[in-house]
PDB file of all heavy atoms in Angstrom:
ATOM      1  N   ASP A  51     -35.313 -25.888 -11.896  1.00 96.00           N
ATOM      2  CA  ASP A  51     -34.778 -26.492 -13.140  1.00 96.00           C
ATOM      3  C   ASP A  51     -33.405 -27.105 -12.925  1.00 96.00           C
ATOM      4  O   ASP A  51     -33.104 -28.190 -13.418  1.00 96.00           O
ATOM      5  CB  ASP A  51     -34.688 -25.400 -14.221  1.00 96.00           C
ATOM      6  CG  ASP A  51     -36.057 -24.917 -14.648  1.00 96.00           C
ATOM      7  OD1 ASP A  51     -37.071 -25.554 -14.340  1.00 96.00           O
ATOM      8  OD2 ASP A  51     -36.111 -23.822 -15.326  1.00 96.00           O
ATOM      9  N   PHE A  52     -32.555 -26.382 -12.177  1.00 97.00           N
ATOM     10  CA  PHE A  52     -31.190 -26.843 -11.917  1.00 97.00           C
ATOM     11  C   PHE A  52     -31.219 -28.156 -11.114  1.00 97.00           C
ATOM     12  O   PHE A  52     -30.535 -29.116 -11.447  1.00 97.00           O
ATOM     13  CB  PHE A  52     -30.419 -25.748 -11.172  1.00 97.00           C
ATOM     14  CG  PHE A  52     -28.940 -25.985 -11.004  1.00 97.00           C
ATOM     15  CD1 PHE A  52     -28.248 -26.992 -11.722  1.00 97.00           C
ATOM     16  CD2 PHE A  52     -28.194 -25.188 -10.145  1.00 97.00           C
ATOM     17  CE1 PHE A  52     -26.892 -27.175 -11.541  1.00 97.00           C
ATOM     18  CE2 PHE A  52     -26.817 -25.348  -9.984  1.00 97.00           C
ATOM     19  CZ  PHE A  52     -26.187 -26.377 -10.684  1.00 97.00           C
ATOM     20  N   ASN A  53     -32.004 -28.158 -10.075  1.00 96.00           N
ATOM     21  CA  ASN A  53     -32.076 -29.340  -9.207  1.00 96.00           C
ATOM     22  C   ASN A  53     -32.536 -30.586  -9.988  1.00 96.00           C
ATOM     23  O   ASN A  53     -32.033 -31.671  -9.781  1.00 96.00           O
ATOM     24  CB  ASN A  53     -33.026 -29.057  -8.037  1.00 96.00           C
ATOM     25  CG  ASN A  53     -32.957 -30.119  -6.961  1.00 96.00           C
ATOM     26  OD1 ASN A  53     -31.881 -30.592  -6.649  1.00 96.00           O
ATOM     27  ND2 ASN A  53     -34.109 -30.491  -6.409  1.00 96.00           N
ATOM     28  N   ALA A  54     -33.481 -30.366 -10.881  1.00 95.00           N
ATOM     29  CA  ALA A  54     -34.013 -31.472 -11.674  1.00 95.00           C
ATOM     30  C   ALA A  54     -33.005 -31.950 -12.704  1.00 95.00           C
ATOM     31  O   ALA A  54     -33.131 -33.096 -13.196  1.00 95.00           O
ATOM     32  CB  ALA A  54     -35.321 -31.047 -12.345  1.00 95.00           C
ATOM     33  N   SER A  55     -32.063 -31.111 -13.044  1.00 93.00           N
ATOM     34  CA  SER A  55     -31.142 -31.444 -14.166  1.00 93.00           C
ATOM     35  C   SER A  55     -29.819 -31.998 -13.715  1.00 93.00           C
ATOM     36  O   SER A  55     -29.076 -32.542 -14.553  1.00 93.00           O
ATOM     37  CB  SER A  55     -30.893 -30.183 -15.011  1.00 93.00           C
ATOM     38  OG  SER A  55     -32.100 -29.653 -15.479  1.00 93.00           O
ATOM     39  N   ILE A  56     -29.462 -31.861 -12.439  1.00 94.00           N
ATOM     40  CA  ILE A  56     -28.108 -32.236 -11.986  1.00 94.00           C
ATOM     41  C   ILE A  56     -27.801 -33.693 -12.355  1.00 94.00           C
ATOM     42  O   ILE A  56     -26.703 -34.010 -12.814  1.00 94.00           O
ATOM     43  CB  ILE A  56     -27.954 -32.002 -10.476  1.00 94.00           C
ATOM     44  CG1 ILE A  56     -27.868 -30.494 -10.203  1.00 94.00           C
ATOM     45  CG2 ILE A  56     -26.694 -32.695  -9.931  1.00 94.00           C
ATOM     46  CD1 ILE A  56     -27.818 -30.150  -8.731  1.00 94.00           C
ATOM     47  N   ASP A  57     -28.756 -34.576 -12.130  1.00 90.00           N
ATOM     48  CA  ASP A  57     -28.514 -36.010 -12.369  1.00 90.00           C
ATOM     49  C   ASP A  57     -28.713 -36.397 -13.844  1.00 90.00           C
ATOM     50  O   ASP A  57     -28.332 -37.489 -14.241  1.00 90.00           O
ATOM     51  CB  ASP A  57     -29.394 -36.852 -11.475  1.00 90.00           C
ATOM     52  CG  ASP A  57     -29.041 -36.723 -10.015  1.00 90.00           C
ATOM     53  OD1 ASP A  57     -27.847 -36.495  -9.726  1.00 90.00           O
ATOM     54  OD2 ASP A  57     -29.966 -36.807  -9.191  1.00 90.00           O
ATOM     55  N   ASN A  58     -29.330 -35.504 -14.623  1.00 91.00           N
ATOM     56  CA  ASN A  58     -29.683 -35.858 -16.004  1.00 91.00           C
ATOM     57  C   ASN A  58     -28.782 -35.222 -17.042  1.00 91.00           C
ATOM     58  O   ASN A  58     -28.626 -35.740 -18.153  1.00 91.00           O
ATOM     59  CB  ASN A  58     -31.140 -35.480 -16.278  1.00 91.00           C
ATOM     60  CG  ASN A  58     -32.093 -36.163 -15.319  1.00 91.00           C
ATOM     61  OD1 ASN A  58     -31.899 -37.332 -14.991  1.00 91.00           O
ATOM     62  ND2 ASN A  58     -33.129 -35.462 -14.862  1.00 91.00           N
ATOM     63  N   MET A  59     -28.225 -34.072 -16.736  1.00 91.00           N
ATOM     64  CA  MET A  59     -27.343 -33.381 -17.684  1.00 91.00           C
ATOM     65  C   MET A  59     -26.096 -34.190 -17.943  1.00 91.00           C
ATOM     66  O   MET A  59     -25.569 -34.855 -17.041  1.00 91.00           O
ATOM     67  CB  MET A  59     -26.903 -32.007 -17.125  1.00 91.00           C
ATOM     68  CG  MET A  59     -27.858 -30.879 -17.326  1.00 91.00           C
ATOM     69  SD  MET A  59     -27.036 -29.312 -16.824  1.00 91.00           S
ATOM     70  CE  MET A  59     -28.372 -28.214 -16.866  1.00 91.00           C
ATOM     71  N   GLY A  60     -25.558 -34.077 -19.172  1.00 90.00           N
ATOM     72  CA  GLY A  60     -24.232 -34.584 -19.431  1.00 90.00           C
ATOM     73  C   GLY A  60     -23.200 -33.712 -18.735  1.00 90.00           C
ATOM     74  O   GLY A  60     -23.500 -32.564 -18.387  1.00 90.00           O
ATOM     75  N   LEU A  64     -23.264 -29.706 -17.767  1.00 95.00           N
ATOM     76  CA  LEU A  64     -23.234 -29.360 -16.360  1.00 95.00           C
ATOM     77  C   LEU A  64     -22.080 -28.369 -16.062  1.00 95.00           C
ATOM     78  O   LEU A  64     -22.303 -27.395 -15.359  1.00 95.00           O
ATOM     79  CB  LEU A  64     -23.064 -30.638 -15.532  1.00 95.00           C
ATOM     80  CG  LEU A  64     -23.554 -30.571 -14.067  1.00 95.00           C
ATOM     81  CD1 LEU A  64     -24.996 -30.091 -13.977  1.00 95.00           C
ATOM     82  CD2 LEU A  64     -23.425 -31.968 -13.441  1.00 95.00           C
ATOM     83  N   ASP A  82     -25.461 -24.569  -2.809  1.00 97.00           N
ATOM     84  CA  ASP A  82     -25.657 -25.990  -2.493  1.00 97.00           C
ATOM     85  C   ASP A  82     -25.792 -26.858  -3.738  1.00 97.00           C
ATOM     86  O   ASP A  82     -25.245 -27.965  -3.801  1.00 97.00           O
ATOM     87  CB  ASP A  82     -26.880 -26.156  -1.579  1.00 97.00           C
ATOM     88  CG  ASP A  82     -28.137 -25.580  -2.210  1.00 97.00           C
ATOM     89  OD1 ASP A  82     -28.049 -24.630  -2.997  1.00 97.00           O
ATOM     90  OD2 ASP A  82     -29.249 -26.071  -1.871  1.00 97.00           O
ATOM     91  N   LEU A  83     -26.518 -26.354  -4.736  1.00 98.00           N
ATOM     92  CA  LEU A  83     -26.686 -27.081  -5.964  1.00 98.00           C
ATOM     93  C   LEU A  83     -25.409 -27.178  -6.768  1.00 98.00           C
ATOM     94  O   LEU A  83     -25.093 -28.178  -7.403  1.00 98.00           O
ATOM     95  CB  LEU A  83     -27.810 -26.491  -6.812  1.00 98.00           C
ATOM     96  CG  LEU A  83     -29.204 -26.499  -6.206  1.00 98.00           C
ATOM     97  CD1 LEU A  83     -30.220 -25.856  -7.135  1.00 98.00           C
ATOM     98  CD2 LEU A  83     -29.646 -27.928  -5.869  1.00 98.00           C
ATOM     99  N   ILE A  84     -24.652 -26.085  -6.744  1.00 97.00           N
ATOM    100  CA  ILE A  84     -23.334 -26.075  -7.432  1.00 97.00           C
ATOM    101  C   ILE A  84     -22.414 -27.092  -6.787  1.00 97.00           C
ATOM    102  O   ILE A  84     -21.689 -27.836  -7.474  1.00 97.00           O
ATOM    103  CB  ILE A  84     -22.728 -24.665  -7.409  1.00 97.00           C
ATOM    104  CG1 ILE A  84     -23.481 -23.755  -8.384  1.00 97.00           C
ATOM    105  CG2 ILE A  84     -21.229 -24.711  -7.779  1.00 97.00           C
ATOM    106  CD1 ILE A  84     -23.054 -22.322  -8.355  1.00 97.00           C
ATOM    107  N   ALA A  86     -23.308 -29.853  -5.322  1.00 96.00           N
ATOM    108  CA  ALA A  86     -23.759 -31.187  -5.782  1.00 96.00           C
ATOM    109  C   ALA A  86     -23.357 -31.427  -7.215  1.00 96.00           C
ATOM    110  O   ALA A  86     -22.913 -32.547  -7.581  1.00 96.00           O
ATOM    111  CB  ALA A  86     -25.299 -31.287  -5.662  1.00 96.00           C
ATOM    112  N   ALA A  87     -23.466 -30.398  -8.032  1.00 97.00           N
ATOM    113  CA  ALA A  87     -23.062 -30.534  -9.446  1.00 97.00           C
ATOM    114  C   ALA A  87     -21.561 -30.824  -9.579  1.00 97.00           C
ATOM    115  O   ALA A  87     -21.133 -31.668 -10.364  1.00 97.00           O
ATOM    116  CB  ALA A  87     -23.421 -29.259 -10.228  1.00 97.00           C
ATOM    117  N   ARG A  90     -20.626 -34.347  -8.853  1.00 93.00           N
ATOM    118  CA  ARG A  90     -20.872 -35.242  -9.971  1.00 93.00           C
ATOM    119  C   ARG A  90     -19.831 -35.022 -11.072  1.00 93.00           C
ATOM    120  O   ARG A  90     -19.301 -35.972 -11.658  1.00 93.00           O
ATOM    121  CB  ARG A  90     -22.276 -35.008 -10.545  1.00 93.00           C
ATOM    122  CG  ARG A  90     -22.567 -35.993 -11.656  1.00 93.00           C
ATOM    123  CD  ARG A  90     -23.984 -36.045 -12.115  1.00 93.00           C
ATOM    124  NE  ARG A  90     -23.985 -36.705 -13.423  1.00 93.00           N
ATOM    125  CZ  ARG A  90     -24.429 -36.171 -14.527  1.00 93.00           C
ATOM    126  NH1 ARG A  90     -25.000 -34.973 -14.524  1.00 93.00           N
ATOM    127  NH2 ARG A  90     -24.351 -36.842 -15.657  1.00 93.00           N
TER     128      ARG A  90
END
Side-chain angles (χ1 to χ4, degrees):
D51 293 346
F52 188 13
N53 191 40
S55 303
I56 288 176
D57 294 328
N58 302 321
M59 276 189 190
L64 204 52
D82 56 331
L83 296 180
I84 287 174
R90 183 168 164 239

